[in-house]
Amino acid sequence: MTNSLCEFCCHMKEIVSGKGSRFLMCQKSAVDHRFQKYAPQPVVQCGGFEQKEKEKSSE
Ligand code: SF4
């Protein structure tokens, strides 16, 4: 867990590789090219940020 905005954003999809590396994928990148699919973390400011409705515990 980082302090990145993406952690709390409804557009983020967490990807965990077979080797256990964790990537935060921005799903907004699919529809808006201003967003990078894998933005350099941590993201501290983002125009696309929208708070997740509720936190899921880590899976
Ligand atoms: S919209 Fe911004 S804050 Fe949300 S996942 Fe994408 S880069 Fe991260």
Side-chain angles (χ1 to χ4, degrees), residues 5-6 9 11-12 25-26 28 35 39 43 46 48-50:
L5 269 184
C6 301
C9 179
H11 302 296
M12 186 275 279
M25 187 181 99
C26 178
K28 258 181 119 63
F35 299 95
V43 170
C46 180
F49 173 76
E50 284 177 66

Side-chain angles (χ1 to χ4, degrees), residues 1 7 12-16 22-25 58-59:
M1 185 68 123
E7 301 278 5
M12 186 275 279
K13 183 167 161 57
E14 184 181 69
I15 309 286
V16 180
R22 184 166 171 270
F23 302 94
L24 306 184
M25 187 181 99
S58 51
E59 297 165 7

Side-chain angles (χ1 to χ4, degrees), residues 14 27 29 33 40 50:
E14 184 181 69
Q27 298 179 103
S29 66
H33 292 164
E50 284 177 66

Side-chain angles (χ1 to χ4, degrees), residues 31-58:
V31 292
D32 189 330
H33 292 164
R34 289 175 300 165
F35 299 95
Q36 290 179 263
K37 191 169 182 181
Y38 296 104
Q41 298 294 330
V43 170
V44 294
Q45 199 174 23
C46 180
F49 173 76
E50 284 177 66
Q51 179 92 39
K52 281 184 203 173
E53 287 193 6
K54 64 178 175 188
E55 280 295 316
K56 278 202 299 183
S57 57
S58 51

